[in-house]
């Protein structure tokens, strides 16, 4: 396809920090970003050329977005598939496509997809009612993690089950809806790979990062991860990208086991928090890479010039902005969220260390 020329418009579904950083990267390449989201006054719309506050499935808003944007993308994986279908029916190109969204929105579909393509996951079983919960407990050794099938994020909608007798109560605790029971992954490290696929099928993959979570929420990423199984991580990312016919940046979260094997935990069909380190450690970061991919531009280099530690600023951490701004080793990124709530991602810092020549 012919690359979208500068001056074209990129539509973004979602008004969070990921959309903000996408819009800023788009602006740097001469594009305009426009945003559609049900939330008013979010981080992305305040740096966008134009925005609509409407439900994702609002027909009039989708029509305006389809008319304004030369390509539409999303910063949030729980955008309804129906919104994407409507945009496509209106003649818009939406990237990454519907398939990636549908697979990533349902933890059972996601793990089934991985297994069908020869990628390893933890053992799992779907839970829809008391009968399937009992069947799942027969198959999956305890302790096991019960998660909502849809719409979980940052560790929400998840509960550990230690004893079979506690399972019904645990299921009620996460809402009693469609769920998945996952075997415990005996991981030694959590890794993630940020990868991109262009409209011409070319692929670019950043080195894996090592992630540390607290209470289900990402605290920090160290990248490149020391002695990571890079070849295997790349193989997994390439398989997922090509089998989904994906265009754009994807985050693939992995569990590394003691024997070096990698299990796929989940995919995020969008730019990803564990890829924020690329903003300061790479020539082309994940946000520009995503814009390049969906605009049909050549993908940029992924080899970092520095090693990086990315630290999230969660809740009141961001009140330290003045101290961080005075710290010459910290590159500060703030999202301009109006309300600093506990557990809310307010910004991040990247700390760089020069890399020895390979
Ligand atoms: P998720 O929302 O699936 O990314 O889960 C959030 C975090 O919970 C992960 O980053 C892990 O730290 C932990 N976790 C999720 N699934 C499992 C599992 N099957 N076994 C052990 N830890 C898990």
């Amino acid at each position: 396809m012919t690359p979208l020329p500068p001056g074209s418009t990129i539509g973004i579904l979602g008004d969070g920090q990921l959309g903000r950083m996408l819009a800023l990267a788009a602006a740097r390449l001469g594009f305009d970003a426009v945003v559609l989201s049900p939330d008013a006054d979010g981080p992305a719309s305040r740096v966008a050329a134009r925005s609509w506050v409407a439900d994702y499935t609002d027909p009039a808003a989708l029509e305006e977005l389809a008319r304004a944007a030369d390509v539409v993308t999303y910063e949030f994986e729980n955008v309804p598939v129906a919104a994407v279908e409507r945009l496509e029916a209106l003649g818009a190109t939406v990237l990454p496509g519907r398939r990636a969204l549908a697979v990533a929105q349902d933890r059972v579909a996601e793990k089934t997809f991985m297994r069908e393509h020869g990628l390893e996951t933890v053992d799992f079983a779907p839970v829809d009612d008391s009968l399937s919960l009992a069947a799942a407990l027969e198959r999956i050794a305890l302790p096991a993690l019960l998660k909502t099938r849809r719409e979980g994020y940052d560790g929400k909608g998840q509960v550990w089950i230690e004893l079979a007798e506690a399972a019904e109560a645990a299921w009620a605790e996460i809402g009693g809806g469609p769920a998945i029971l996952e075997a415990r992954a005996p991981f030694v490290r959590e890794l993630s790979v940020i990868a991109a696929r262009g409209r011409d099928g070319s692929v670019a993959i950043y080195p894996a990062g090592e992630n540390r979570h607290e209470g289900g929420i990402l605290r920090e990423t160290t990248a490149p991860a020391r002695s990571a199984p890079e070849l295997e991580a790349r193989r997994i990312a390439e398989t997922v990208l090509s089998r989904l016919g994906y265009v754009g940046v994807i985050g693939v979260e992995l569990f590394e086991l003691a024997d070096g094997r990698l299990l796929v935990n989940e995919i995020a069909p969008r730019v990803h928090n564990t890829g924020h380190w690329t903003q300061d450690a790479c020539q082309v970061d994940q946000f520009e890479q995503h814009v390049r991919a969906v605009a049909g531009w050549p993908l940029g280099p992924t080899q970092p010039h520095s090693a990086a530690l990315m630290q999230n600023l969660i809740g009141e951490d961001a009140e330290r902005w003045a101290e961080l701004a005075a710290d010459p080793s910290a590159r500060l990124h703030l999202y301009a969220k109006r309300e600093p709530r506990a557990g809310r991602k307010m910004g991040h810092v990247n700390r760089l260390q020069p890399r020895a020549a390979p």
Side-chain angles (χ1 to χ4, degrees):
M1 84 144 247
T2 340
L4 287 182
S8 302
T9 297
I10 300 190
I12 301 172
L13 296 167
D15 195 3
Q17 66 268 22
L18 301 178
R20 180 183 181 90
M21 292 183 275
L22 279 173
L24 293 171
R28 206 170 49 229
L29 296 182
F31 295 110
D32 279 336
V34 296
V35 168
L36 167 62
S37 158
D39 313 307
D41 205 27
S45 56
R46 299 215 306 283
V47 300
R50 194 174 168 195
S51 61
W52 296 270
V53 180
D55 195 85
Y56 289 122
T57 50
D58 182 278
L62 288 173
E63 217 164 289
E64 289 199 41
L65 177 64
R67 209 173 314 126
D70 297 290
V71 64
V72 177
T73 187
Y74 44 88
E75 58 117 50
F76 170 62
E77 67 272 34
N78 290 319
V79 163
V81 173
V84 174
E85 285 168 349
R86 182 77 198 124
L87 284 166
E88 287 176 340
L90 290 163
T93 303
V94 184
L95 296 171
R98 234 175 317 143
R99 177 141 162 72
L101 206 53
V103 166
Q105 282 180 356
D106 179 333
R107 292 185 190 277
V108 172
E110 187 175 47
K111 286 194 167 51
T112 305
F113 169 88
M114 299 304 156
R115 295 244 172 144
E116 276 171 8
H117 296 102
L119 305 178
E120 288 189 82
T121 69
V122 291
D123 281 335
F124 65 97
V127 173
D128 294 301
D129 47 31
S130 295
L131 212 61
S132 51
L133 177 59
L137 290 164
E138 292 279 306
R139 281 201 20 225
I140 310 293
L142 297 180
L145 191 51
L146 188 66
K147 302 180 178 176
T148 54
R149 265 177 87 153
R150 293 175 163 271
E151 304 211 345
Y153 70 99
D154 286 348
K156 293 188 177 68
Q158 309 192 0
V159 54
W160 281 101
I161 298 181
E162 310 279 341
L163 298 165
E165 301 78 70
E168 283 281 352
W171 185 41
E173 192 182 322
I174 60 161
I180 180 173
L181 187 66
E182 293 187 12
R184 185 176 65 85
F187 59 82
V188 290
R189 279 200 292 189
E190 290 195 73
L191 301 174
S192 59
V193 182
I194 305 299
R197 187 164 175 273
R199 283 173 86 152
D200 62 356
S202 57
V203 166
I205 305 177
Y206 295 93
E210 176 176 344
N211 306 315
R212 196 171 61 74
H213 294 83
E214 270 170 30
I217 187 161
L218 181 71
R219 282 305 327 191
E220 53 184 43
T221 299
T222 308
R226 206 169 312 138
S227 337
E230 287 292 346
L231 283 179
E232 179 60 2
R234 291 182 73 90
R235 184 187 74 85
I236 292 170
E238 274 166 9
T239 304
V240 173
L241 287 171
S242 67
R243 296 307 168 110
L244 285 175
Y246 197 91
V247 176
V249 163
I250 196 169
V252 183
E253 294 183 26
L254 302 165
F255 294 132
E256 185 184 24
L257 306 187
D259 61 7
R261 275 188 306 144
L262 295 177
L263 308 184
V264 179
N265 173 28
E266 62 178 5
I267 56 170
R270 52 169 169 80
V271 286
H272 197 237
N273 193 173
T274 68
H276 291 359
W277 65 272
T278 60
Q279 288 176 303
D280 297 301
C282 298
Q283 231 169 294
V284 169
D285 67 28
Q286 64 163 348
F287 300 99
E288 177 173 334
Q289 195 76 291
H290 185 74
V291 172
R292 283 171 172 254
V294 301
W297 285 31
L299 299 179
T302 51
Q303 200 49 39
H305 51 71
S306 304
L309 170 66
M310 189 287 306
Q311 297 172 309
N312 270 339
L313 302 176
I314 298 169
E316 61 191 23
D317 292 348
E319 287 168 19
R320 292 169 41 226
W321 62 267
E323 173 201 329
L324 292 164
D327 177 350
S329 68
R331 290 272 294 149
L332 181 59
H333 300 257
L334 294 171
Y335 309 150
K337 290 188 182 172
R338 298 286 191 206
E339 283 170 57
R341 264 182 269 125
R344 199 166 195 215
K345 291 173 180 169
M346 303 299 294
H348 63 275
V349 293
N350 284 327
R351 296 175 187 279
L352 301 185
Q353 277 186 339
R355 286 191 90 190

